[in-house]
Coordinates of all heavy atoms in Angstrom, one line a residue:
M262 N 4.5 -9.3 6.9 CA 5.5 -8.2 6.7 C 4.7 -6.9 6.5 O 3.8 -6.8 5.8 CB 6.4 -8.4 5.5 CG 7.5 -7.4 5.4 SD 8.6 -7.7 4.0 CE 7.6 -7.0 2.7
S263 N 5.1 -5.8 7.2 CA 4.5 -4.6 7.0 C 5.6 -3.5 7.0 O 6.6 -3.6 7.5 CB 3.5 -4.2 8.1 OG 4.1 -3.9 9.3
T264 N 5.3 -2.4 6.2 CA 6.2 -1.4 6.0 C 5.5 0.0 6.4 O 4.4 0.2 5.9 CB 6.7 -1.3 4.6 OG1 7.1 -2.6 4.2 CG2 7.8 -0.3 4.4
K265 N 6.2 0.7 7.2 CA 5.6 2.0 7.5 C 6.2 3.1 6.7 O 7.5 3.2 6.5 CB 5.9 2.4 9.0 CG 4.9 1.6 9.9 CD 4.9 2.3 11.3 CE 3.8 1.7 12.2 NZ 4.2 0.5 12.8
I266 N 5.4 3.9 6.1 CA 5.9 5.0 5.2 C 5.6 6.3 5.9 O 4.5 6.6 6.3 CB 5.1 4.9 3.9 CG1 5.5 3.7 3.1 CG2 5.5 6.1 3.0 CD1 4.8 3.5 1.8
K267 N 6.6 7.2 5.9 CA 6.3 8.5 6.3 C 7.2 9.5 5.5 O 8.3 9.2 5.2 CB 6.6 8.7 7.8 CG 8.0 8.6 8.2 CD 8.1 8.9 9.7 CE 9.5 8.7 10.2 NZ 9.7 9.1 11.6
G268 N 6.6 10.6 5.2 CA 7.3 11.6 4.4 C 7.7 11.2 3.1 O 8.7 11.6 2.5
M269 N 7.0 10.3 2.5 CA 7.4 9.8 1.2 C 7.0 10.7 0.1 O 5.9 11.3 0.1 CB 6.6 8.4 1.0 CG 7.5 7.4 0.4 SD 6.6 5.9 0.3 CE 7.4 5.2 -1.1
D270 N 7.8 10.9 -0.9 CA 7.5 11.8 -2.0 C 6.9 11.1 -3.2 O 6.5 11.8 -4.1 CB 8.8 12.6 -2.4 CG 9.8 11.7 -3.0 OD1 9.7 10.5 -2.9 OD2 10.8 12.2 -3.6
K271 N 6.8 9.8 -3.1 CA 6.1 9.1 -4.2 C 4.6 9.3 -4.1 O 4.0 9.3 -3.0 CB 6.5 7.6 -4.1 CG 7.9 7.4 -4.1 CD 8.6 7.5 -5.4 CE 10.0 6.9 -5.5 NZ 11.0 7.9 -5.3
S272 N 4.0 9.4 -5.2 CA 2.5 9.6 -5.2 C 1.7 8.3 -5.2 O 0.7 8.2 -4.6 CB 2.1 10.4 -6.4 OG 2.7 11.7 -6.4
F273 N 2.3 7.3 -5.9 CA 1.6 6.0 -6.0 C 2.6 4.9 -5.7 O 3.7 5.0 -6.0 CB 1.0 5.8 -7.4 CG 0.0 6.8 -7.8 CD1 0.3 7.9 -8.5 CD2 -1.4 6.6 -7.5 CE1 -0.7 8.9 -8.9 CE2 -2.4 7.5 -7.8 CZ -2.0 8.6 -8.5
I274 N 2.0 3.8 -5.2 CA 2.8 2.6 -5.0 C 2.0 1.4 -5.5 O 0.8 1.4 -5.6 CB 3.2 2.4 -3.5 CG1 1.9 2.4 -2.7 CG2 4.3 3.4 -3.0 CD1 2.2 2.0 -1.2
K275 N 2.8 0.4 -5.9 CA 2.1 -0.8 -6.3 C 2.4 -1.8 -5.2 O 3.6 -2.1 -4.9 CB 2.7 -1.3 -7.7 CG 1.9 -2.5 -8.2 CD 2.7 -3.1 -9.4 CE 2.4 -2.4 -10.7 NZ 3.0 -3.1 -11.8
V276 N 1.4 -2.4 -4.7 CA 1.5 -3.3 -3.5 C 1.1 -4.7 -4.0 O 0.0 -4.9 -4.6 CB 0.7 -2.9 -2.3 CG1 0.9 -3.8 -1.1 CG2 1.0 -1.4 -2.0
K277 N 1.9 -5.7 -3.6 CA 1.5 -7.1 -3.9 C 0.8 -7.7 -2.7 O 1.3 -7.6 -1.6 CB 2.8 -7.9 -4.2 CG 2.5 -9.2 -4.8 CD 3.8 -9.8 -5.3 CE 3.6 -11.1 -6.0 NZ 4.9 -11.7 -6.5
C278 N -0.4 -8.2 -3.0 CA -1.2 -8.8 -1.9 C -0.4 -10.0 -1.3 O 0.0 -10.9 -2.0 CB -2.5 -9.3 -2.4 SG -3.5 -10.1 -1.2
P279 N -0.3 -10.1 0.0 CA 0.4 -11.2 0.6 C -0.3 -12.5 0.6 O 0.3 -13.6 0.7 CB 0.6 -10.7 2.1 CG -0.5 -9.8 2.3 CD -0.7 -9.1 1.0
D280 N -1.6 -12.4 0.3 CA -2.4 -13.7 0.3 C -2.5 -14.2 -1.1 O -2.4 -15.4 -1.3 CB -3.8 -13.4 0.9 CG -3.8 -13.3 2.4 OD1 -2.7 -13.6 3.0 OD2 -4.8 -13.0 3.0
C281 N -2.9 -13.4 -2.1 CA -3.2 -14.0 -3.4 C -2.2 -13.5 -4.5 O -2.3 -14.0 -5.6 CB -4.6 -13.6 -3.8 SG -4.9 -11.9 -4.2
G282 N -1.4 -12.5 -4.1 CA -0.3 -12.1 -5.1 C -0.8 -11.1 -6.1 O 0.0 -10.7 -7.0
T283 N -2.0 -10.6 -6.0 CA -2.5 -9.6 -6.9 C -1.8 -8.3 -6.7 O -1.6 -7.9 -5.5 CB -4.0 -9.4 -6.7 OG1 -4.7 -10.6 -7.0 CG2 -4.6 -8.3 -7.7
E284 N -1.4 -7.6 -7.7 CA -0.7 -6.3 -7.6 C -1.7 -5.2 -7.7 O -2.5 -5.1 -8.7 CB 0.4 -6.2 -8.6 CG 1.5 -7.2 -8.3 CD 2.7 -7.1 -9.3 OE1 2.5 -6.4 -10.3 OE2 3.6 -7.8 -9.1
T285 N -1.8 -4.3 -6.8 CA -2.7 -3.2 -6.8 C -2.0 -1.9 -6.7 O -1.1 -1.7 -5.9 CB -3.7 -3.3 -5.6 OG1 -4.3 -4.6 -5.6 CG2 -4.7 -2.2 -5.6
I286 N -2.4 -0.9 -7.5 CA -1.8 0.4 -7.4 C -2.6 1.3 -6.5 O -3.9 1.4 -6.6 CB -1.7 1.0 -8.8 CG1 -0.7 0.2 -9.6 CG2 -1.2 2.5 -8.7 CD1 -0.6 0.7 -11.1
T287 N -2.0 2.0 -5.6 CA -2.7 2.8 -4.6 C -1.9 4.1 -4.3 O -0.7 4.1 -4.6 CB -3.1 2.1 -3.3 OG1 -3.9 2.9 -2.5 CG2 -1.8 1.6 -2.6
Y288 N -2.5 5.0 -3.7 CA -1.8 6.2 -3.2 C -0.8 5.8 -2.1 O -1.1 4.9 -1.3 CB -2.7 7.2 -2.6 CG -3.6 7.9 -3.6 CD1 -4.9 7.7 -3.7 CD2 -3.0 8.9 -4.5 CE1 -5.7 8.3 -4.7 CE2 -3.8 9.6 -5.4 CZ -5.1 9.3 -5.5 OH -5.9 9.9 -6.4
A289 N 0.4 6.4 -2.1 CA 1.4 6.1 -1.1 C 1.0 6.7 0.3 O 1.6 6.4 1.3 CB 2.7 6.7 -1.5
R290 N 0.0 7.6 0.3 CA -0.5 8.0 1.6 C -2.0 8.2 1.4 O -2.5 8.4 0.3 CB 0.2 9.2 2.1 CG 0.5 10.3 1.1 CD 1.3 11.4 1.7 NE 2.4 11.8 0.8 CZ 3.2 12.8 1.1 NH1 3.0 13.6 2.1 NH2 4.2 13.1 0.3
G291 N -2.7 8.2 2.5 CA -4.1 8.4 2.5 C -4.8 8.3 3.8 O -4.1 8.1 4.8
S292 N -6.1 8.4 3.8 CA -6.8 8.3 5.1 C -7.8 7.2 5.2 O -8.6 7.1 6.1 CB -7.5 9.6 5.4 OG -8.3 10.0 4.3
T293 N -7.8 6.3 4.1 CA -8.7 5.2 4.1 C -8.0 3.9 3.9 O -6.9 3.9 3.3 CB -9.8 5.4 3.0 OG1 -9.1 5.5 1.8 CG2 -10.7 6.5 3.3
E294 N -8.5 2.8 4.3 CA -7.9 1.5 4.1 C -7.9 1.2 2.6 O -8.9 1.5 1.9 CB -8.7 0.5 4.9 CG -8.3 0.4 6.4 CD -8.9 -0.8 7.0 OE1 -9.8 -1.4 6.5 OE2 -8.5 -1.1 8.2
V295 N -6.9 0.5 2.2 CA -6.9 -0.1 0.8 C -7.0 -1.6 0.9 O -6.3 -2.2 1.7 CB -5.6 0.3 0.1 CG1 -5.5 -0.3 -1.3 CG2 -5.4 1.8 0.1
K296 N -7.9 -2.1 0.2 CA -8.1 -3.6 0.3 C -7.8 -4.2 -1.1 O -8.0 -3.6 -2.1 CB -9.6 -3.9 0.7 CG -9.8 -3.6 2.1 CD -11.2 -4.0 2.5 CE -11.5 -3.7 4.0 NZ -12.9 -4.0 4.3
C297 N -7.4 -5.5 -1.0 CA -7.2 -6.2 -2.3 C -8.5 -6.4 -3.0 O -9.5 -6.8 -2.3 CB -6.6 -7.6 -1.9 SG -6.4 -8.7 -3.3
P298 N -8.6 -6.1 -4.3 CA -9.8 -6.3 -5.0 C -10.3 -7.7 -5.2 O -11.4 -8.0 -5.5 CB -9.5 -5.6 -6.3 CG -8.0 -5.7 -6.5 CD -7.5 -5.6 -5.1
V299 N -9.3 -8.6 -5.0 CA -9.6 -10.0 -5.3 C -10.1 -10.8 -4.0 O -11.1 -11.4 -3.9 CB -8.4 -10.7 -5.9 CG1 -8.7 -12.2 -6.1 CG2 -8.1 -10.1 -7.3
C300 N -9.3 -10.6 -2.9 CA -9.5 -11.4 -1.7 C -9.9 -10.6 -0.5 O -10.1 -11.1 0.6 CB -8.3 -12.3 -1.4 SG -6.9 -11.4 -0.9
N301 N -9.9 -9.2 -0.7 CA -10.4 -8.3 0.3 C -9.4 -8.2 1.5 O -9.8 -7.7 2.6 CB -11.8 -8.7 0.8 CG -12.7 -7.5 0.8 OD1 -12.5 -6.6 0.0 ND2 -13.7 -7.5 1.6
T302 N -8.2 -8.7 1.4 CA -7.2 -8.5 2.4 C -6.8 -7.0 2.5 O -6.7 -6.3 1.5 CB -5.9 -9.3 2.1 OG1 -6.2 -10.7 2.2 CG2 -4.8 -9.0 3.1
V303 N -6.7 -6.5 3.7 CA -6.3 -5.1 3.9 C -4.8 -4.9 3.5 O -3.9 -5.6 4.0 CB -6.5 -4.6 5.3 CG1 -5.9 -3.2 5.5 CG2 -7.9 -4.7 5.7
L304 N -4.6 -4.1 2.5 CA -3.2 -3.9 1.9 C -2.5 -2.7 2.6 O -1.3 -2.7 2.7 CB -3.2 -3.8 0.4 CG -3.8 -4.9 -0.4 CD1 -3.8 -4.6 -1.8 CD2 -3.0 -6.2 -0.1
A305 N -3.3 -1.7 2.9 CA -2.7 -0.5 3.5 C -3.7 0.1 4.4 O -4.9 0.1 4.1 CB -2.2 0.4 2.4
K306 N -3.2 0.7 5.5 CA -4.1 1.4 6.4 C -3.4 2.6 7.0 O -2.2 2.5 7.3 CB -4.6 0.4 7.5 CG -3.6 -0.2 8.4 CD -4.2 -1.1 9.4 CE -3.1 -1.7 10.3 NZ -3.6 -2.6 11.3
P307 N -4.1 3.6 7.3 CA -3.5 4.8 7.9 C -3.3 4.6 9.4 O -4.2 4.1 10.0 CB -4.5 5.9 7.6 CG -5.8 5.2 7.4 CD -5.5 3.8 6.9
T308 N -2.2 4.9 9.9 CA -1.9 4.8 11.3 C -1.2 6.1 11.8 O 0.0 6.2 11.6 CB -1.0 3.6 11.6 OG1 0.2 3.7 10.9 CG2 -1.7 2.3 11.4
G309 N -2.0 7.0 12.4 CA -1.4 8.2 13.0 C -0.5 9.0 12.1 O 0.6 9.3 12.5
G310 N -0.9 9.3 10.9 CA -0.1 10.1 10.0 C 0.8 9.3 9.1 O 1.2 9.9 8.1
K311 N 1.0 8.1 9.4 CA 1.8 7.2 8.5 C 0.9 6.3 7.8 O -0.3 6.2 8.1 CB 2.8 6.4 9.3 CG 3.8 7.2 10.1 CD 4.6 6.3 11.0 CE 5.2 7.1 12.1 NZ 5.6 6.2 13.2
F312 N 1.4 5.7 6.8 CA 0.6 4.7 6.0 C 1.3 3.4 6.1 O 2.4 3.2 5.7 CB 0.6 5.2 4.5 CG -0.7 4.8 3.8 CD1 -1.9 5.0 4.4 CD2 -0.7 4.4 2.5 CE1 -3.1 4.7 3.8 CE2 -1.8 4.1 1.8 CZ -3.1 4.2 2.5
E313 N 0.6 2.4 6.7 CA 1.2 1.1 7.0 C 0.8 0.2 5.8 O -0.3 0.0 5.6 CB 0.7 0.6 8.3 CG 1.5 -0.7 8.7 CD 1.1 -1.1 10.1 OE1 0.9 -0.2 11.0 OE2 1.1 -2.3 10.4
I314 N 1.9 -0.3 5.2 CA 1.6 -1.2 4.1 C 1.7 -2.7 4.5 O 2.7 -3.1 5.1 CB 2.7 -1.0 2.9 CG1 2.7 0.5 2.6 CG2 2.4 -1.8 1.7 CD1 1.4 1.1 2.0
N315 N 0.7 -3.4 4.2 CA 0.7 -4.9 4.6 C 1.0 -5.6 3.3 O 0.1 -5.9 2.5 CB -0.6 -5.2 5.2 CG -0.7 -6.7 5.5 OD1 0.3 -7.3 5.9 ND2 -1.9 -7.3 5.4
G316 N 2.2 -6.0 3.1 CA 2.5 -6.7 1.9 C 3.8 -6.2 1.3 O 4.5 -5.4 1.9
Q317 N 4.1 -6.5 0.0 CA 5.3 -6.1 -0.6 C 5.1 -5.0 -1.6 O 4.2 -5.1 -2.4 CB 5.9 -7.4 -1.3 CG 7.3 -7.1 -1.8 CD 7.8 -8.3 -2.6 OE1 7.1 -9.3 -2.8 NE2 9.0 -8.1 -3.2
I318 N 5.9 -3.9 -1.4 CA 5.8 -2.9 -2.4 C 6.7 -3.3 -3.6 O 7.9 -3.5 -3.5 CB 6.4 -1.5 -1.8 CG1 5.5 -1.1 -0.6 CG2 6.4 -0.4 -2.8 CD1 6.0 0.0 0.2
V319 N 6.0 -3.4 -4.8 CA 6.8 -3.8 -5.9 C 7.0 -2.7 -6.9 O 7.7 -2.9 -8.0 CB 6.0 -5.0 -6.6 CG1 6.0 -6.2 -5.7 CG2 4.6 -4.6 -6.9
G320 N 6.5 -1.5 -6.7 CA 6.7 -0.5 -7.6 C 6.4 0.9 -7.0 O 5.6 0.9 -6.1
E321 N 7.0 1.9 -7.5 CA 6.6 3.3 -7.1 C 6.5 4.2 -8.3 O 7.2 4.1 -9.2 CB 7.7 3.8 -6.1 CG 7.9 3.0 -4.9 CD 9.1 3.4 -4.1 OE1 10.0 4.1 -4.6 OE2 9.2 3.0 -2.9
F322 N 5.5 5.1 -8.2 CA 5.3 6.0 -9.3 C 5.1 7.4 -8.8 O 4.7 7.6 -7.7 CB 4.0 5.6 -10.0 CG 3.9 4.2 -10.4 CD1 3.4 3.2 -9.5 CD2 4.4 3.7 -11.6 CE1 3.3 1.9 -9.8 CE2 4.4 2.4 -11.9 CZ 3.8 1.5 -11.0
K323 N 5.4 8.4 -9.7 CA 5.2 9.8 -9.3 C 4.0 10.3 -10.0 O 3.6 9.8 -11.0 CB 6.4 10.6 -9.6 CG 7.6 10.3 -8.7 CD 8.4 11.5 -8.4 CE 9.4 11.2 -7.4 NZ 10.2 12.3 -7.0
Ligands
LIG168 ZN1 -5.5 -10.6 -2.4

């Protein structure tokens, strides 16, 4: 499952790794890939101005 984010006003999101279930807090947008600190699965990647989330968003923070 992946979710594309655009124009989001949230600053941070918590993403649950689809492989190991570890929850990682990251920026809701950015220009670099975000990887799971445990299993190294790519959790989020920038795609043409949007931020594609690979996994489940379990929280949002400002
Ligand atoms: Zn993981």
Side-chain angles (χ1 to χ4, degrees):
M262 188 180 79
S263 73
T264 307
K265 284 198 169 79
I266 294 178
K267 65 174 178 179
M269 225 177 146
D270 63 347
K271 307 283 195 262
S272 298
F273 296 94
I274 52 173
K275 191 192 274 185
V276 183
K277 191 171 187 177
C278 177
D280 282 353
C281 72
T283 298
E284 293 178 354
T285 304
I286 294 173
T287 183
Y288 288 108
R290 38 185 137 174
S292 55
T293 55
E294 281 189 346
V295 178
K296 289 183 179 176
C297 175
V299 176
C300 69
N301 232 27
T302 294
V303 175
L304 298 178
K306 61 180 177 180
T308 53
K311 300 170 199 160
F312 213 42
E313 188 172 325
I314 308 298
N315 177 33
Q317 187 184 359
I318 299 172
V319 293
E321 295 171 347
F322 310 91
K323 290 216 172 181

